[in-house]
Amino acid sequence: MSQPLFGGALSITVPDGFVDISQVRQLPDHQEVFASSTTDQSLIVEILEAVDEDNPLEYHFAQLAEANDSRESKVWRVARLSATTSVLCGEQLVAKFNERGANRVAVLLALVRVPEHSADVLVSLNAPLSISAESSSSAALSPDTDVEQLQAQFVATVQTLKINDYTLFG
């Protein structure tokens, strides 16, 4: 089912089992966040000012790695879906909530450029590939992530993203 975002200005089909995190905690105005309690996956949609970079997806991936204090990060592939949409698939080794044990997480990013408004819509999916025994998620989760299937599902989700009201971008 299509999920309205930012007051209905955007919409996207959120995977089954994902819940709206804004019902649990306050989020920044430029973000919509959904999470699965059974897989520890999260889907984030952000409205950002367009970045003037040769490789904007790699820029956002590096920024995310830095913000998460990633111990390792690696880009697997980048693909263009359309004239305005590209996808990056990679992984990062990150600790959750400043824990000692780091988890290997698939990070999938989609960038939808809105050049007429100097804006970017960044969609990200974080999915654990392996969980450290020292992680707070270790008791509840044992990831069984098929990366190829995850990437296909992410692309299918991104392709449902619709911009319904361009006044969102100013």
Side-chain angles (χ1 to χ4, degrees):
M1 180 189 308
S2 185
Q3 172 74 42
L5 306 172
F6 306 104
L10 302 180
S11 61
I12 195 168
T13 300
V14 176
D16 290 338
F18 280 64
V19 296
D20 184 348
I21 295 301
S22 70
Q23 302 300 315
V24 180
R25 65 179 168 94
Q26 190 167 351
L27 298 171
D29 289 342
H30 73 284
Q31 283 186 346
E32 297 274 0
V33 180
F34 302 88
S36 169
S37 61
T38 59
T39 63
D40 214 23
Q41 295 179 2
S42 61
L43 179 73
I44 303 166
V45 180
E46 298 179 84
I47 306 296
L48 304 170
E49 187 174 321
V51 294
D52 185 22
E53 295 285 329
D54 290 336
N55 299 301
L57 268 173
E58 286 91 341
Y59 169 83
H60 287 297
F61 184 78
Q63 292 292 306
L64 184 60
E66 185 178 318
N68 289 334
D69 292 324
S70 179
R71 298 174 190 175
E72 293 176 23
S73 65
K74 180 169 102 176
V75 173
W76 298 330
R77 69 178 62 101
V78 178
R80 182 174 288 284
L81 299 180
S82 71
T84 58
T85 305
S86 298
V87 175
L88 176 147
C89 301
E91 70 179 70
Q92 297 181 359
L93 185 63
V94 295
K96 192 173 184 179
F97 308 120
N98 298 317
E99 296 173 343
R100 286 184 10 178
N103 304 321
R104 189 161 304 282
V105 178
V107 178
L108 289 75
L109 301 177
L111 185 66
V112 180
R113 311 230 65 185
V114 189
E116 62 273 22
H117 293 281
S118 300
D120 287 337
V121 178
L122 184 68
V123 181
S124 58
L125 178 71
N126 303 297
L129 298 172
S130 63
I131 304 288
S132 167
E134 298 178 84
S135 172
S136 61
S137 295
S138 66
L141 297 169
S142 62
D144 184 20
T145 304
D146 177 330
V147 173
E148 294 299 321
Q149 181 180 6
L150 182 71
Q151 291 175 17
Q153 290 171 338
F154 180 67
V155 167
T157 296
V158 168
Q159 290 175 326
T160 70
L161 180 71
K162 303 260 185 294
I163 300 173
N164 303 313
D165 184 357
Y166 282 88
T167 62
L168 171 69
F169 304 108

